[in-house]
């Protein structure tokens, strides 16, 4: 599955981002700590400044008030060692009591490098001696014996990068080791979810970290499989019931129509009785048409109606349906106008001619059935680059926006839902929808520009016969060439 590599990439991405953020945060933290604990104040510079400011006067050595103020501010003390006698010839008042006043050369070397009796010391050279500046013991830490190999210092950047890379690899290995078990548990779960969405049965081993989720998926699969089986049984029973009822009703209905037809033409009956017989014949035909529609809708719904697809000219088919309606002595209240330009002679589609004629007849009959006072029916065929559009519309009573929306979106008789009380639109439009679906097309229901009702049947176009023949010949020649 594509989701497993994607999940792994996500884990690796999160781990990499986490590692980078961790490194950045650590570097930032140490930089802030370093900046916070490193000030612009330098004890060495202060010692040099004090040595330069120390002046020999008639009364002895002395420092200026500014330098003394700085020493007091830093809680520092100082003394001055004479070059010749190596004795302390000057000192500040706050000099600790345990500070020696006599120094040897080795003592001077030691204090210059580090400490005087544990106090961090810093020196500044004067012409006649050495000024020693001291601070509290907890103020500075000095490296008294620091000596680093040159090659170690030179290779330090490379070594830091190597250590960082090793740390990242170790973090990755630890992460993979910890999460590999989780990833192994996720793979069957994702496969199970995909099979569940496809309607396939799912059986996942209920073990590992995600055992509870695997158990729930197995139970969900069992429920869905059981429901699918029950639904198939119901659909089969419904289709068989519709076919059986249609078959059982035809025989008595044919007898009713036959006898009613005889009564309608009988000279022994009065005019009123013959009209009643005529009504029986008319309503019987309507029942017969409804049974035929119901049976056809059922076959289309359950893909039991074979489609004989051939390349057809949609314009010719629509014209033929209109002529058939005119030849059946259609009422003068329902004239049909052909709105397609005379210059357009063909619009080729792959279609089952009989079913497509049935769909167009249903649309025309729909306009007749819903306009008792008569209307003009307009028929046209148009096309764009990819589809052929057959439009049947009228200038009758039309439908409201709510009705249009319901016809476009609400299921009809053959669709199972919980609303069994609302009267649906007849089977005519349902059959049209199913025929359009069988032709990889669709229908659009809308208001007519003539203030009536409009239905557009949209079916994909096919190549004209000449182009189809050229394409077939080209394919045969390429095959022969190979």
């Amino acid at each position: 599955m594509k989701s497993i590599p994607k999940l792994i990439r996500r884990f690796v991405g999160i781990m990499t981002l986490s590692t980078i953020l961790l490194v950045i945060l650590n570097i930032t933290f140490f930089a802030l700590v370093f900046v916070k604990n490193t000030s612009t104040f330098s004890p060495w510079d202060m010692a040099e400044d004090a040595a330069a400011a120390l002046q020999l006067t008639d009364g002895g050595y002395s420092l200026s008030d500014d330098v003394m103020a700085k020493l007091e501010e830093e809680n520092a003390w100082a003394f001055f060692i004479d070059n010749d006698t190596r004795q302390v010839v000057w000192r500040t008042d706050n000099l600790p009591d345990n500070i020696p006043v006599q120094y040897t050369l080795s003592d001077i070397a030691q204090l210059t490098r580090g400490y005087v009796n544990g106090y961090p010391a810093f020196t500044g050279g004067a012409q006649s001696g050495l000024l020693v500046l001291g601070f509290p013991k907890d103020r500075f830490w000095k490296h008294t014996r620091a000596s680093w190999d040159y090659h170690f210092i030179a290779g330090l950047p490379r070594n830091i990068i190597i250590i960082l890379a090793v740390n990242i690899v170790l973090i990755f290995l630890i992460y993979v080791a910890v999460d590999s078990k989780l990833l192994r548990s996720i793979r069957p779960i994702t496969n199970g979810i995909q099979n569940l969405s496809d309607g396939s049965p799912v059986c996942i081993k209920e073990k590992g970290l995600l055992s509870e989720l695997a158990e729930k998926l197995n139970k969900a699969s069992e429920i869905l499989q059981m429901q699918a089986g029950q639904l198939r049984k119901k659909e089969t029973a419904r289709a068989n019931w519709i076919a059986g009822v249609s078959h059982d009703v035809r025989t008595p209905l044919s007898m009713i129509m036959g006898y009613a037809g005889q009564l309608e033409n009988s000279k022994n009956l009065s005019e009123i009785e013959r009209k009643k017989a005529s009504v029986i014949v008319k309503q019987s035909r309507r029942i017969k048409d409804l049974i035929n529609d119901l049976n056809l809708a059922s076959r289309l719904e359950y893909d039991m109606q074979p489609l004989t697809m051939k390349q057809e000219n949609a314009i010719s088919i629509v014209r033929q349906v209109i002529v058939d309606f005119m030849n059946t002595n259609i009422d003068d209240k329902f004239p049909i106008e052909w709105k397609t330009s005379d210059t357009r002679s063909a619009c080729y589609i792959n279609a089952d001619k009989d079913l497509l004629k049935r769909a167009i007849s249903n649309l025309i009959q729909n306009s007749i059935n819903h306009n008792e006072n008569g209307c003009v029916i307009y028929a046209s065929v148009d096309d764009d680059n990819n589809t052929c559009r057959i439009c049947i519309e009228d200038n009758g009573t039309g439908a409201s926006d709510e009705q249009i929306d319901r016809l476009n979106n609400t299921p009809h008789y053959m669709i199972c839902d919980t609303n069994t009380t609302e009267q649906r639109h007849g089977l005519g439009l349902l059959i049209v929808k199913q025929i359009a679906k069988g032709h990889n097309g669709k229908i659009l229901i809308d208001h007519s520009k003539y203030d009536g009702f409009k239905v557009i049947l949209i079916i994909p176009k096919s190549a004209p016969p000449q182009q189809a023949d050229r394409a077939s010949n080209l394919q045969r020649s390429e095959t022969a060439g190979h």
Side-chain angles (χ1 to χ4, degrees):
M1 287 181 61
K2 296 181 179 179
S3 57
I4 294 298
K6 184 178 180 180
L7 185 61
I8 295 175
R9 288 195 299 269
R10 180 179 176 84
F11 283 165
V12 173
I14 292 174
M15 184 210 66
T16 303
L17 181 61
S18 301
T19 303
I20 294 174
L21 289 176
L22 187 62
V23 171
I24 293 175
L25 288 174
N26 278 279
I27 293 175
T28 304
F29 173 75
F30 285 112
L32 291 175
V33 171
F34 180 79
V35 171
K36 182 179 179 181
N37 291 274
T38 303
S39 62
T40 57
F41 170 73
S42 173
W44 293 104
D45 292 341
M46 189 174 183
E48 292 291 343
D49 293 341
L54 186 65
Q55 299 292 329
L56 179 60
T57 63
D58 296 338
Y61 290 94
S62 64
L63 278 177
S64 63
D65 294 338
D66 293 340
V67 176
M68 288 299 297
K70 290 181 180 180
L71 292 179
E72 292 177 358
E73 181 181 354
E74 298 295 336
N75 199 19
W77 43 264
F79 61 89
F80 186 72
I81 302 174
D82 183 71
N83 280 339
D84 297 330
T85 62
R86 292 189 289 279
Q87 289 184 352
V88 174
V89 296
W90 174 87
R91 61 184 181 180
T92 59
D93 296 335
N94 59 343
L95 184 71
D97 295 336
N98 58 348
I99 298 300
V101 294
Q102 179 73 35
Y103 293 88
T104 63
L105 292 178
S106 61
D107 293 335
I108 294 174
Q110 186 173 0
L111 70 87
T112 302
R113 189 170 58 210
Y115 297 85
V116 178
N117 283 351
Y119 294 92
F122 303 87
T123 59
Q127 185 175 3
S128 58
L130 181 68
L131 186 135
V132 179
L133 188 64
F135 291 87
K137 293 182 178 181
D138 58 353
R139 181 65 189 280
F140 295 103
W141 176 62
K142 299 182 66 179
H143 297 278
T144 58
R145 291 178 172 83
S147 58
W148 304 96
D149 184 80
Y150 176 81
H151 298 288
F152 171 76
I153 298 298
L156 190 60
R158 181 193 60 189
N159 294 334
I160 291 175
I161 294 175
I162 292 175
I163 293 173
L164 183 62
V166 171
N167 287 331
I168 292 175
V169 171
L170 288 176
I171 293 174
F172 176 77
L173 293 177
I174 294 172
Y175 186 84
V176 170
V178 171
D179 290 340
S180 59
K181 192 172 183 179
L182 177 62
L183 293 176
R184 285 195 299 269
S185 300
I186 289 175
R187 182 181 294 275
I189 296 296
T190 54
N191 290 334
I193 293 174
Q194 181 176 0
N195 292 335
L196 201 64
S197 65
D198 295 337
S200 304
V202 175
C203 183
I204 306 173
K205 293 182 179 180
E206 299 174 4
K207 64 177 184 178
L209 298 175
L210 302 177
S211 58
E212 185 176 356
L213 181 58
E215 179 184 359
K216 299 298 183 183
L217 283 175
N218 289 335
K219 288 183 179 180
S221 176
E222 292 176 3
I223 294 173
L224 290 177
Q225 291 299 315
M226 181 178 64
Q227 291 177 345
Q230 293 175 350
L231 183 60
R232 284 192 296 269
K233 290 180 180 180
K234 289 181 180 179
E235 290 177 348
T236 303
R238 183 171 62 174
N240 291 336
W241 181 82
I242 292 174
V245 170
S246 300
H247 180 269
D248 293 340
V249 170
R250 280 195 182 98
T251 300
L253 184 61
S254 297
M255 296 178 64
I256 294 172
M257 293 178 65
Y259 288 130
Q262 293 177 10
L263 294 175
E264 181 184 13
N265 298 319
S266 176
K267 301 296 183 179
N268 298 325
L269 299 178
S270 65
E271 183 67 23
I272 295 176
E273 291 172 335
R274 286 199 301 270
K275 286 184 178 180
K276 290 180 180 179
S278 176
V279 172
I280 295 174
V281 172
K282 183 177 179 181
Q283 295 302 322
S284 298
R285 289 198 186 101
R286 184 177 179 185
I287 294 174
K288 182 180 179 180
D289 291 339
L290 287 174
I291 292 173
N292 290 335
D293 284 347
L294 183 62
N295 204 24
L296 177 59
S298 176
R299 294 198 304 270
L300 290 171
E301 177 70 21
Y302 299 111
D303 297 327
M304 294 185 293
Q305 173 69 31
L307 273 66
T308 305
M309 307 294 285
K310 292 173 56 179
Q311 189 175 67
E312 303 286 353
N313 183 357
I315 294 179
S316 298
I317 293 176
V318 177
R319 281 178 171 172
Q320 186 175 349
V321 173
I322 294 174
V323 171
D324 291 341
F325 265 90
M326 291 179 175
N327 290 336
T328 57
N329 296 319
I330 189 172
D331 198 325
D332 292 338
K333 295 189 300 183
F334 301 100
I336 301 177
E337 292 189 10
W338 179 246
K339 305 300 291 184
T340 301
S341 173
D342 294 335
T343 59
R344 186 182 298 275
S345 60
C347 182
Y348 291 101
I349 58 175
N350 288 322
D352 184 313
K353 184 176 180 180
D354 292 335
L355 281 180
L356 188 59
K357 289 175 64 177
R358 178 63 180 274
I360 299 168
S361 298
N362 282 4
L363 294 179
I364 295 176
Q365 190 63 46
N366 186 71
S367 294
I368 295 173
N369 294 339
H370 291 83
N371 295 281
E372 295 181 357
N373 298 325
C375 67
V376 180
I377 301 172
Y378 304 92
S380 64
V381 179
D382 199 359
D383 65 343
D384 53 23
N385 293 331
N386 301 313
T387 61
C388 180
R389 304 167 69 90
I390 301 171
C391 178
I392 304 297
E393 55 186 329
D394 58 59
N395 64 350
T397 57
S400 65
D401 292 337
E402 182 180 357
Q403 291 171 326
I404 293 292
D405 182 70
R406 187 184 303 117
L407 290 173
N408 276 313
N409 301 295
T410 303
H412 293 261
Y413 284 118
M414 302 303 294
I415 306 299
C416 179
D417 64 10
T418 58
N419 190 355
T420 59
T421 60
E422 180 184 354
Q423 176 63 35
R424 303 292 177 81
H425 202 272
L427 288 171
L429 285 179
L430 170 63
I431 293 175
V432 175
K433 280 189 175 183
Q434 292 172 326
I435 292 174
K437 182 180 178 181
H439 289 76
N440 298 319
K442 62 181 180 179
I443 70 170
L444 294 178
I445 302 173
D446 202 352
H447 300 287
S448 169
K449 62 182 178 181
Y450 304 104
D451 298 328
F453 191 75
K454 176 174 71 173
V455 180
I456 302 176
L457 179 58
I458 303 174
I459 299 176
K461 289 173 58 177
S462 65
Q466 299 83 356
Q467 295 183 11
D469 292 342
R470 286 197 296 269
S472 178
N473 293 334
L474 179 60
Q475 184 176 6
R476 284 197 294 269
S477 62
E478 289 178 353
T479 305
H482 288 294

